[in-house]
Amino acid sequence: MSPVSLRRNHGSHFVVCGSNPLAYRLVNELISRFDAEVTVILKSRDLERGPQIAKLPGVRLVEAPQLDDATLHTARVAEARALALVEQDDVGNIHTALRAHELNPDLRMVVRMFNMSLGHRIRTLFNDCAVLSDSAMAAPSLVAAALGEVAPSHIRLPGRTLYMARREEVPPARVVVGLADTSGPNTELLPADQDSADLVLAIADGTAREELPPQHPSRHTRRLIWVRALLVNRLVQVALAMVGVLVVGGALIQFLGHYGFGDAAYLTLLDASGAVQPDSALSTPIKVIQVIVTVTGISIIPVVTAAAVDWLVQARLSGGTDVPASISGHVVVVGLGNVGSRVIRQLNDLGVPTVCVDSQESARGVGFARRHSLPVVFGDASRDDVLRAASVGTARALVVLTNSDVVNLEAALLGRALREDLRVVLRLFDDDLAERVERNFGFAISSSVSRLAASSFAAAMMERQVIGTIPIGRSILMIADIPIAVGSQLAGQPISAAHDQGQARVIALERHTGQGAGRLDWSPGQTYLLRPQDRLIVLATRAGLGRVLTCSMSAVPQPDAG
């Protein structure tokens, strides 16, 4: 019996390992959308999202401090239809996947991993395994929100970012596939004549797209931004106060001493420089004013020194990478962890100027930023001087993605205070707080990564291989990662057999070499004969995807013996 038929004999029993926000969202999705029977393995029902998971209807909990064979037996992994490993531990998830595979070789596994290069290689070790990254799934939505798009028009695939564009806007060498012909009264999806498609899927190579022009603030707005930045600086405030004292002192000396303007200015400057000469014949008010002017003038020196030190600190915050003073229309990304590093990669691929902010030089995305000459500012994003160093005042958007709700919310509000019309994309882990913040503060989006990724994880557990979607008018094209199973209808057939005019088209191929996962071929020959464990990247409608999945996974009926 084939692995597929074995899996279909199982019921709708699913196992989820984890108690984090993604686990909670995933379990809720399986129960509410697919009416599934779910067992959750967690360390304690009192930790993380354990209490919320326990309240979901029909959920069976298995509490265990360690994920060993006995725990997997208790969770009935041997009888399960699918297992999801969603902890933030790549090595731990791989270890558990190997344990589960020994108990049930035909089990479908969905593994959460950040290192997708390792994940694609690990996936080939199992009969039926999907490796997903929640940060990679959430990044397109966050980027789209930062750029003001209603929905993502781009998708990140292994090694490159693809985006939707008009054919005349991109060179022919960057076109991957024609998406649609919109010239007629009715839009034709995936036309047989690819040259007739005026809407195409193209490779993003870092060149700015014409449909995403930088949003340059006006000259008047720039002046206001600089004035506001100066006025909120405490050192500038102190210096202005001292200058005010000197001006008032000079005016009083002129008025009370009956001096001319030139003489009054001369005496005031001498007093401010510390060159004052005692004169007991002066009136008491003049003496008091003279002392105040002298003390104020001497105090200006420490203020200037402090300003110089502040400038050196700002240079240190910029991490040796200067943010151009004239930069504008850029996106400021705060937090270069798992999600932030994905976001800056996609923004860089799309040719959007980006400035990065993080409190740690060891953050995951710092290396990428430096390799691609992206300015990096090190410091606490909840401080106005750090955001000013990143030129938030002239940015098109601020994307805040740290692991702290407090820092994220404070940085978002501070950014909006520095510029009232600034687009803010905010990541919050508390979903209820996120909804209220979005509703009351008008931020572009304020969703947790788990909320954005849960649907994709649930779909993967239900054997749906969709890794991205592209909206075209009222239609949706899906990008799916489809392995060729042993004995499937497509095994031994040319790639062209997977094409279906208006419904499905193969855009990339990964050949099975017997030595692990290979590289994707984005221009595969149409006469290449597909082999078991080859992997197709397919662009399809819902109906077309269903047909390709059936042909790639369903076993070819065998004739009856005798």
Side-chain angles (χ1 to χ4, degrees):
M1 186 178 293
S2 71
V4 175
S5 59
L6 273 173
R7 187 169 59 252
R8 286 177 176 170
N9 285 339
H10 291 306
S12 57
H13 176 222
F14 298 85
V15 179
V16 177
C17 294
S19 58
N20 51 36
L22 176 58
Y24 168 70
R25 284 281 182 183
L26 173 57
V27 173
N28 188 41
E29 191 90 5
L30 290 171
I31 293 173
S32 60
R33 287 188 57 194
F34 301 107
D35 194 26
E37 174 192 348
V38 183
T39 297
V40 181
I41 303 176
L42 37 69
K43 293 182 179 180
S44 171
R45 68 174 62 212
D46 299 322
L47 298 177
E48 297 185 281
R49 293 299 179 90
Q52 291 95 322
I53 294 175
K55 293 179 181 179
L56 294 174
V59 173
R60 175 172 173 255
L61 298 183
V62 175
E63 296 181 79
Q66 292 183 342
L67 271 172
D68 52 20
D69 291 344
T71 302
L72 296 179
H73 273 295
T74 304
R76 296 165 46 209
V77 168
E79 308 167 14
R81 175 178 175 181
L83 166 68
L85 306 170
V86 296
E87 293 289 355
Q88 289 182 317
D89 179 4
D90 284 4
V91 175
N93 288 342
I94 293 172
H95 192 183
T96 304
L98 292 170
R99 290 180 183 273
H101 181 68
E102 292 177 357
L103 292 176
N104 184 355
D106 301 311
L107 176 69
R108 174 161 181 77
M109 288 185 286
V110 179
V111 184
R112 175 191 192 180
M113 295 193 72
F114 176 81
N115 188 337
M116 292 301 289
S117 176
L118 172 62
H120 287 309
R121 287 169 171 77
I122 291 296
R123 186 177 62 85
T124 62
L125 301 177
F126 306 103
N127 293 337
D128 190 2
C129 178
V131 177
L132 305 177
S133 167
D134 57 328
S135 57
M137 292 175 177
S141 295
L142 296 169
V143 171
L147 301 180
E149 297 176 348
V150 176
S153 62
H154 65 279
I155 181 172
R156 177 75 182 182
L157 296 178
R160 63 185 58 194
T161 295
L162 306 181
Y163 70 99
M164 182 171 61
R166 292 287 176 182
R167 183 181 290 274
E168 64 270 14
E169 296 172 353
V170 295
R174 286 169 51 194
V175 175
V176 175
V177 65
L179 294 175
D181 180 1
T182 62
S183 60
N186 297 317
T187 298
E188 181 184 0
L189 299 177
L190 301 176
D193 181 8
Q194 284 285 289
D195 293 334
S196 68
D198 56 348
L199 201 61
V200 300
L201 193 64
I203 300 171
D205 61 356
T207 303
R209 296 185 290 170
E210 293 182 3
E211 66 266 34
L212 297 176
Q215 297 176 347
H216 297 282
S218 66
R219 183 174 300 176
H220 176 67
T221 302
R222 284 201 187 97
R223 290 198 189 102
L224 292 178
I225 290 168
W226 282 111
V227 170
R228 183 183 299 175
L230 287 173
L231 292 179
V232 298
N233 188 296
R234 292 180 180 179
L235 292 175
V236 173
Q237 293 172 351
V238 172
L240 291 176
M242 288 181 172
V243 171
V245 169
L246 295 179
V247 171
V248 173
L252 291 175
I253 288 175
Q254 179 183 2
F255 176 74
L256 296 176
H258 304 289
Y259 295 105
F261 176 79
D263 290 337
Y266 171 71
L267 292 174
T268 301
L269 291 175
L270 285 179
D271 292 344
S273 65
V276 62
Q277 294 294 328
D279 186 354
S280 58
L282 294 174
S283 64
T284 299
I286 294 295
K287 290 178 180 179
V288 172
I289 294 170
Q290 196 175 48
V291 170
I292 293 175
V293 169
T294 302
V295 172
T296 301
I298 295 174
S299 300
I300 287 180
I301 296 176
V303 173
V304 173
T305 303
V309 172
D310 184 67
W311 181 85
L312 292 174
V313 170
Q314 292 300 328
R316 174 66 180 86
L317 285 173
S318 65
T321 304
D322 293 331
V323 179
S326 61
I327 190 171
S328 63
H330 60 291
V331 175
V332 177
V333 179
V334 177
L336 302 183
N338 290 353
V339 182
S341 60
R342 304 277 188 187
V343 169
I344 64 173
R345 284 175 184 270
Q346 293 187 21
L347 288 171
N348 185 69
D349 286 348
L350 295 172
V352 178
T354 307
V355 175
C356 309
V357 179
D358 201 284
S359 59
Q360 302 292 329
E361 294 189 39
S362 59
R364 189 184 295 272
V366 171
F368 175 86
R370 285 176 169 165
R371 287 193 303 272
H372 292 79
S373 301
L374 302 180
V376 183
V377 176
F378 293 107
D380 184 356
S382 61
R383 292 176 48 186
D384 57 357
D385 56 342
V386 173
L387 291 185
R388 285 201 308 274
S391 296
V392 165
T394 57
R396 70 184 300 163
L398 170 65
V399 184
V400 192
L401 303 170
T402 76
N403 292 323
S404 169
D405 279 0
V406 174
V407 173
N408 290 349
L409 184 57
E410 189 171 0
L413 293 174
L414 181 57
R416 183 61 63 81
L418 293 175
R419 181 174 165 195
E420 295 180 358
D421 61 343
L422 179 68
R423 176 179 293 276
V424 177
V425 181
L426 177 62
R427 172 193 185 184
L428 291 175
F429 291 90
D430 188 318
D431 293 325
D432 181 67
L433 175 62
E435 293 175 1
R436 296 178 187 277
V437 166
E438 185 173 7
R439 185 168 58 249
N440 289 280
F441 294 122
F443 293 147
I445 185 172
S446 51
S447 299
S448 65
V449 170
S450 60
R451 182 180 182 181
L452 295 171
S455 295
S456 297
F457 275 79
M461 293 188 74
M462 302 302 295
E463 302 179 21
R464 300 179 183 180
Q465 313 288 334
V466 177
I467 57 178
T469 59
I470 298 178
I472 300 178
R474 296 184 178 181
S475 303
I476 293 179
L477 288 177
M478 295 176 286
I479 298 180
D481 182 344
I482 301 178
I484 303 299
V486 176
S488 69
Q489 295 178 26
L490 284 179
Q493 296 295 315
I495 287 182
S496 58
H499 294 328
D500 188 352
Q501 181 180 344
Q503 298 292 327
R505 189 170 186 87
V506 176
I507 62 174
L509 165 71
E510 181 187 282
R511 296 175 177 84
H512 178 66
T513 62
Q515 299 178 350
R519 291 187 176 183
L520 287 176
D521 179 1
W522 293 93
S523 300
Q526 298 304 302
T527 59
Y528 171 81
L529 299 181
L530 295 170
R531 295 179 295 177
Q533 299 187 49
D534 280 349
R535 175 172 154 234
L536 300 178
I537 303 297
V538 177
L539 184 67
T541 62
R542 294 184 185 277
L545 178 59
R547 187 192 69 80
V548 176
L549 282 173
T550 299
C551 294
S552 65
M553 299 298 292
S554 298
V556 177
Q558 299 296 325
D560 295 333

